[in-house]
Amino acid sequence: MLALPCLAAAAPAKVGRVVEFSNGIDKNGTPIGVTAGPDGNIWFTEADGNRVGRISPAGIVREFARGITPLSDPLDITAGPDGNLWFTEAATDQIGRITPHGAVTEFHRGISSNAFVEGITPGPDGALWFTEGQTSRIGRITT
């Protein structure tokens, strides 16, 4: 784990000020999705790295790969109503769940073959809703 500049600024930043974070993120990981986690961290997917990463408010990056199917192409990520992070795995037609401590569970039952699961968001019903880009369908998974 590497330390990065603190995410919390002492004074309000000027509008349009950009700070980039790369220390601790695999240079070939290809970060795609990003979301605020229920644990106060920023979470992101790495499509080519087949990982999910976390950046703490102090700027410390940790990457998680254990439990994620190789070559699954994690894309979008969102915080779920259950306190976990949920992410799509486009190449393997799966939805992944990662706890704030890094334990991963993958779900594929009920998802169409060759669906190319992409976007994911919590719904007003307490479930998560996702897109199947290649099958022109919207899916729903309970938490």
Side-chain angles (χ1 to χ4, degrees):
M1 295 188 295
L2 300 170
L4 299 174
C6 184
L7 294 178
K14 291 182 181 179
V15 172
R17 180 171 181 255
V18 173
V19 176
E20 295 178 324
F21 297 86
S22 61
N23 289 338
I25 300 172
D26 185 288
K27 68 177 183 165
N28 297 315
T30 314
I32 300 287
V34 65
T35 194
D39 59 351
N41 294 303
I42 299 298
W43 288 79
F44 60 95
T45 57
E46 293 182 57
D48 291 338
N50 293 295
R51 288 183 292 272
V52 172
R54 173 181 77 203
I55 303 176
S56 74
I60 297 171
V61 172
R62 179 152 184 215
E63 297 174 312
F64 302 92
R66 176 175 273 184
I68 299 174
T69 300
L71 305 176
S72 64
D73 199 15
L75 292 183
D76 201 10
I77 187 167
T78 192
D82 60 346
N84 295 305
L85 289 302
W86 292 75
F87 58 97
T88 58
E89 295 178 82
T92 54
D93 304 319
Q94 298 183 120
I95 302 292
R97 177 185 67 202
I98 186 167
T99 68
H101 299 291
V104 173
T105 305
E106 296 175 317
F107 304 90
H108 67 277
R109 183 170 288 159
I111 299 174
S112 300
S113 181
N114 299 313
F116 199 81
V117 182
E118 297 180 79
I120 189 166
T121 192
D125 59 354
L128 294 160
W129 293 77
F130 58 92
T131 60
E132 295 183 12
Q134 295 298 315
T135 60
S136 297
R137 295 179 178 163
I138 305 293
R140 177 183 176 273
I141 186 169
T142 57
T143 59

